[in-house]
Amino acid sequence: SVSSITRIRQLKEMALIGVGDYETLDFDLQSGEGAGVPVEWTSSDESVATVNANGVVTAVADGKATVTVKVASRQASCAVTVKTKTKLDNIGEDYTVQDGEVLTGFTDKPVKIAAGATVVMSNAWIYSPGNPVTCLGNATIITADGKYGGGEPSTSEGKAALKVGPAGTTLTLKGKGNLYITGKSVAAAIGTDVKGTCGNIVIESGYVEAQGGSFGVGIGAGDGGTCGDITIHGGQVIASSASYGAAIGCGDTWYGSTTCGNITITGGKVTATATSNAAGIGTGVSRVNKTNRCGDITISGGTVVATKGVNATYDVGPGDNSTKDTEFMGTVGKVTVSVPVKDADGNDATIYQ
């Protein structure tokens, strides 16, 4: 009933959309009894952005508009910014993406993201030597509604496809589109170069697929690298490694000791698949005289499938030394799992205690 609606809340307060793209805005009501009550959507400037009866905002031209949803006497608003897309096909060498840019097209040149920038990928693909995408500091990458973004090194081993900013910074991934990141050997798909250092990784929404190369990792610290915390709050995440590295956490230790911070999963749908001697979530193989360690692993929500590699012991936890010598097994902090976790065959995952 109308009288039962005490509050309405936009699930997004701000939206950045490229000209010609769309985004569906969602809202929730304080009461669940709003069924049958008329919902009214309006835009403050339809020359910039229009909105239909289902909350689908279409970006028309550069500018700013406020999109408002009204249910009975309650209303909430979202500030919409519309930007002309930056065509990657036209960029030069050493291009740095600035805050508010919307990327589209293809480039074979590496791209940097300015510190503090929020950028959108709208059918954007970066396939280049070295690091296709390097974050210079804190960064937020949004995949546009119904669109894709992606990156892959064309030649260079040891380079992360999406290199996270320095220690102490955070890369946040979100949106309603699909992000595909493919790494090369000994580095992360999303995280560090070989023997590199990076900050934290947060995934809030969208579809994220991170495929690590041999001795590397899907999401986290590449071989010999140090990564900050990894946190997954939502979306669908598919992470994998080719050999000897975890899908989420730490890669191999061939080039040096490898370290990852805490791994926390509170929601979303997460699939983490390792191959040889590594955990799906946790660490890769630990070689003689080298350590492979991640911090605490906490899984408190979402749907999680974690699958260890051949010869590994744990789906969630430390990886095994290539000689199966427990003295050189990887190490993890406290492992806390409060929701069911399965392996790829549908069995209960093997979890380190």
Side-chain angles (χ1 to χ4, degrees):
S1 67
V2 172
S3 60
S4 71
I5 300 173
T6 58
R7 185 173 67 89
I8 185 172
R9 181 173 66 92
Q10 279 275 16
L11 298 186
K12 291 188 69 171
E13 295 182 352
M14 301 177 64
L16 174 64
I17 314 174
V19 172
D21 286 352
Y22 65 89
E23 180 164 343
T24 303
L25 298 181
D26 302 309
F27 68 94
D28 65 4
L29 302 173
Q30 183 71 28
S31 168
E33 301 179 22
V37 179
V39 177
E40 180 183 2
W41 292 90
T42 58
S43 170
S44 65
D45 190 343
E46 292 192 345
S47 69
V48 173
T50 63
V51 60
N52 69 14
N54 298 314
V56 179
V57 177
T58 300
V60 179
D62 281 25
K64 297 179 182 291
T66 300
V67 173
T68 301
V69 58
K70 184 176 181 181
V71 181
S73 61
R74 308 292 178 179
Q75 66 180 38
S77 298
C78 175
V80 175
T81 299
V82 177
K83 290 287 190 72
T84 297
K85 298 174 187 177
T86 299
K87 294 183 178 180
L88 292 173
D89 312 64
N90 299 332
I91 67 170
E93 300 289 345
D94 297 321
Y95 187 77
T96 299
V97 183
Q98 301 300 318
D99 184 42
E101 284 195 69
V102 180
L103 307 179
T104 192
F106 170 86
T107 185
D108 58 2
K109 302 178 180 67
V111 167
K112 297 180 177 67
I113 298 178
T118 295
V119 303
V120 175
M121 299 187 81
S122 176
N123 292 351
W125 189 262
I126 302 162
Y127 182 74
S128 70
N131 301 109
V133 182
T134 299
C135 300
L136 300 180
N138 293 321
T140 299
I141 297 176
I142 302 169
T143 46
D145 201 343
K147 306 293 184 179
Y148 69 83
E152 179 180 0
S154 56
T155 55
S156 299
E157 294 187 352
K159 297 294 186 180
L162 174 47
K163 183 179 179 181
V164 178
T169 67
T170 299
L171 168 65
T172 301
L173 303 176
K174 59 183 179 179
K176 293 189 175 182
N178 300 335
L179 184 66
Y180 304 96
I181 305 294
T182 303
K184 290 286 188 181
S185 298
V186 300
I190 302 173
T192 79
D193 291 339
V194 61
K195 301 176 70 172
T197 301
C198 80
N200 308 310
I201 302 166
V202 177
I203 301 176
E204 294 186 355
S205 57
Y207 176 94
V208 178
E209 185 172 324
Q211 180 178 338
S214 299
F215 311 103
V217 64
I219 301 172
D223 192 329
T226 300
C227 175
D229 296 337
I230 301 169
T231 305
I232 301 173
H233 291 307
Q236 182 174 0
V237 179
I238 298 177
S240 63
S241 60
S243 57
Y244 300 106
I248 299 175
C250 295
D252 199 352
T253 53
W254 187 264
Y255 284 90
S257 295
T258 306
T259 305
C260 174
N262 298 325
I263 300 173
T264 303
I265 300 173
T266 65
K269 184 176 181 180
V270 180
T271 302
T273 306
T275 52
S276 305
N277 300 93
I281 300 173
T283 79
V285 66
S286 182
R287 299 180 185 273
V288 176
N289 298 323
K290 297 169 185 174
T291 59
N292 200 329
R293 175 176 175 78
C294 78
D296 296 342
I297 301 174
T298 304
I299 304 175
S300 61
T303 301
V304 180
V305 176
T307 306
K308 63 181 179 288
V310 176
N311 297 324
T313 303
Y314 299 104
D315 296 307
V316 178
D320 291 337
N321 180 261
S322 55
T323 64
K324 298 296 289 183
D325 186 337
T326 56
E327 182 181 356
F328 299 106
M329 179 180 284
T331 58
V332 299
K334 183 179 180 181
V335 179
T336 304
V337 177
S338 55
V339 296
V341 177
K342 302 292 184 180
D343 65 16
D345 295 324
N347 301 314
D348 289 341
T350 305
I351 299 172
Y352 175 79
Q353 301 294 332

